[in-house]
Amino acid sequence: VQLQASGGGLVQPGGSLRLSCAASGLGLDYYAIGWFRQAPGKERDGVAYIINRSSSEHYADSAKGRFTVSRDNAKNTAYLQMNSLNVDDTAVYYCAVGNPILSSWRDSRSYRYWGQGTLVTVSS
């Protein structure tokens, strides 16, 4: 099983990025997908989550209204569209796959597989 996260980079404040998480060795349609981030010196924190069957979405307060999580089961790929980025969004972003219960979606221990991370730097 591999999760390949990509799409990170350097962006100015107010800009946008779309992260992708391509899966191989498993079908994403059977799993929920979480997006996490870890800033330097901070713990890994969940920012967005999409359930497998209903595609219901959930976001951390810091991401609401700016980030959108989506999935394309046909392409076996998940996405995180990030708009209105600010310097506080600078972090390594990870995608994760599992079947956490809704109340535990931000708990990294609830996920079985992880991507390698992609760095997002927001700076002028």
Side-chain angles (χ1 to χ4, degrees):
V1 175
Q2 278 194 324
L3 298 177
Q4 183 70 40
S6 62
L10 174 63
V11 62
Q12 291 186 339
S16 298
L17 283 174
R18 188 176 82 153
L19 306 183
S20 298
C21 177
S24 59
L26 83 169
L28 281 183
D29 50 341
Y30 293 104
Y31 295 94
I33 299 160
W35 283 95
F36 288 74
R37 67 186 182 186
Q38 187 165 19
K42 295 188 177 181
E43 293 186 355
R44 191 172 297 188
D45 188 28
V47 294
Y49 166 73
I50 184 166
I51 298 174
N52 54 338
R53 299 195 183 278
S54 70
S55 290
S56 176
E57 303 162 27
H58 300 271
Y59 299 93
D61 288 345
S62 60
K64 286 179 182 176
R66 301 187 301 126
F67 293 6
T68 303
V69 59
S70 62
R71 61 195 302 153
D72 186 335
N73 290 335
K75 294 183 177 179
N76 220 26
T77 301
Y79 305 95
L80 183 68
Q81 177 68 43
M82 304 187 296
N83 299 327
S84 301
L85 287 163
N86 59 61
V87 294
D88 292 334
D89 296 316
T90 295
V92 177
Y93 284 72
Y94 300 88
C95 58
V97 165
N99 279 308
I101 58 174
L102 182 57
S103 60
S104 298
W105 77 264
R106 296 185 72 179
D107 185 347
S108 61
R109 297 170 298 178
S110 299
Y111 294 82
R112 184 172 183 181
Y113 302 108
W114 288 82
Q116 84 287 4
T118 184
L119 176 63
V120 172
T121 303
V122 184
S123 175
S124 55

